[in-house]
Amino acid sequence: MKIEDYPLAKELIFDTEGNISQVILNYTDYQYLVEAIEDRGLLQAMRQVKDEKPLSLQEALDELDKE
């Protein structure tokens, strides 16, 4: 495995068996990845509720109070 195969990696750290155990990234690249993962999660959540009936503000507040 070469670092060239991992475009965001700045350094690869291997375990005693030669497997990649850690990857060092620039903080900016790390932030980009976190945002992409969060965006993907938001998209999945939006797809799950797309056919649900929207709540009024009061109904939403009542639901929050139940929790």
Side-chain angles (χ1 to χ4, degrees), residues 11-67:
E11 184 179 343
L12 301 175
I13 299 173
F14 298 89
D15 62 17
T16 56
E17 297 172 359
N19 300 310
I20 298 173
S21 64
Q22 297 179 34
V23 177
I24 297 180
L25 306 171
N26 283 333
Y27 184 68
T28 303
D29 293 336
Y30 167 77
Q31 286 179 308
Y32 171 80
L33 288 173
V34 169
E35 288 177 17
I37 292 166
E38 289 172 346
D39 288 349
R40 176 71 178 171
L42 178 58
L43 177 61
Q44 288 175 333
M46 290 169 62
R47 285 182 177 160
Q48 288 176 354
V49 298
K50 72 176 181 165
D51 295 325
E52 290 185 11
K53 176 186 162 262
L55 300 176
S56 69
L57 174 59
Q58 190 56 52
E59 290 170 327
L61 292 172
D62 292 343
E63 286 295 318
L64 288 173
D65 285 340
K66 289 180 186 177
E67 294 180 7

